[in-house]
Amino acid sequence: MFRDEVSVHIDARPEEVFALVADITRMGEWSPECYRTAWVGASTKAEPGARFKGYNKYRRVKWSTVVEIETAEPGKELTWAVLGTGKKRTRWSYRFAEAGGGTDVTETRESVVEYGWPIRVITNVFMPTHDGWMKENMRQTLERIKAAAEKNAVTV
């Protein structure tokens, strides 16, 4: 089981920052790991129940996941869960709080269920430093969102 959390202050309004993150098709611009995303089925925007597919890479390993949005409150929170074998596996959250004329954004990654032995073995063999790298990955993601948000921001 794991839980990681990283925060950054962005000089832009919470609604503006939320809009960037909620445009799921842009996640490949922000994340060092998730290089592409695409809506699944009839989903076209971040709202509870909407699904998208994330394409990820870590060093030479590539994989994809199906993700379901759980919470989408503009300017406050965007949360989704990675699905696997009919279960929610990992939850990712972005929380937005007005602060200091801008927004404090907190990204959280946490396990929802304990992964079974096949996934643990594959991760340990092919991606042994992945979890240790994740907090830096999250920080880079937030810094890239910050740069994009501040480029054309209207501050509070």
Side-chain angles (χ1 to χ4, degrees):
M1 303 296 279
F2 55 81
R3 186 176 198 289
D4 293 312
E5 185 173 286
V6 176
S7 297
V8 69
H9 181 80
I10 298 177
D11 291 324
R13 294 178 30 230
E15 295 79 13
E16 292 174 299
V17 183
F18 174 90
L20 283 175
V21 178
D23 184 355
I24 297 303
T25 61
R26 295 188 69 188
M27 190 53 71
E29 295 175 44
W30 325 131
S31 173
E33 181 171 293
C34 180
Y35 62 89
R36 184 167 70 95
T37 52
W39 291 109
V40 172
S43 300
T44 59
K45 67 179 186 173
E47 60 188 2
R51 289 186 176 191
F52 65 92
K53 190 168 187 175
Y55 298 86
N56 306 293
K57 65 180 176 358
Y58 177 73
R59 297 188 177 164
R60 295 167 60 186
V61 179
K62 288 187 175 185
W63 69 99
S64 64
T65 58
V66 175
V67 179
E68 183 175 287
I69 296 187
E70 296 180 324
T71 305
E73 295 179 41
K76 296 184 191 275
E77 179 183 350
L78 180 64
T79 298
W80 61 71
V82 176
L83 306 175
T85 61
K87 298 178 186 176
K88 293 181 179 181
R89 297 282 183 188
T90 305
R91 181 170 287 118
W92 291 84
S93 293
Y94 291 83
R95 290 188 174 78
F96 309 88
E98 191 174 319
T103 305
D104 287 342
V105 181
T106 301
E107 180 180 1
T108 306
R109 171 186 88 118
E110 62 185 330
S111 59
V112 178
V113 298
E114 189 163 344
Y115 284 85
W117 70 266
I119 292 175
R120 287 196 317 264
V121 168
I122 290 167
T123 301
N124 289 339
V125 171
F126 295 104
M127 301 168 40
T129 58
H130 180 255
D131 281 342
W133 177 73
M134 193 52 70
K135 278 187 94 163
E136 178 55 30
N137 176 4
M138 293 165 65
R139 181 161 310 285
Q140 286 180 35
T141 299
L142 290 181
E143 290 296 333
R144 290 171 181 174
I145 292 168
K146 174 183 173 80
E150 290 179 351
K151 187 175 180 179
N152 298 309
V154 176
T155 55
V156 179

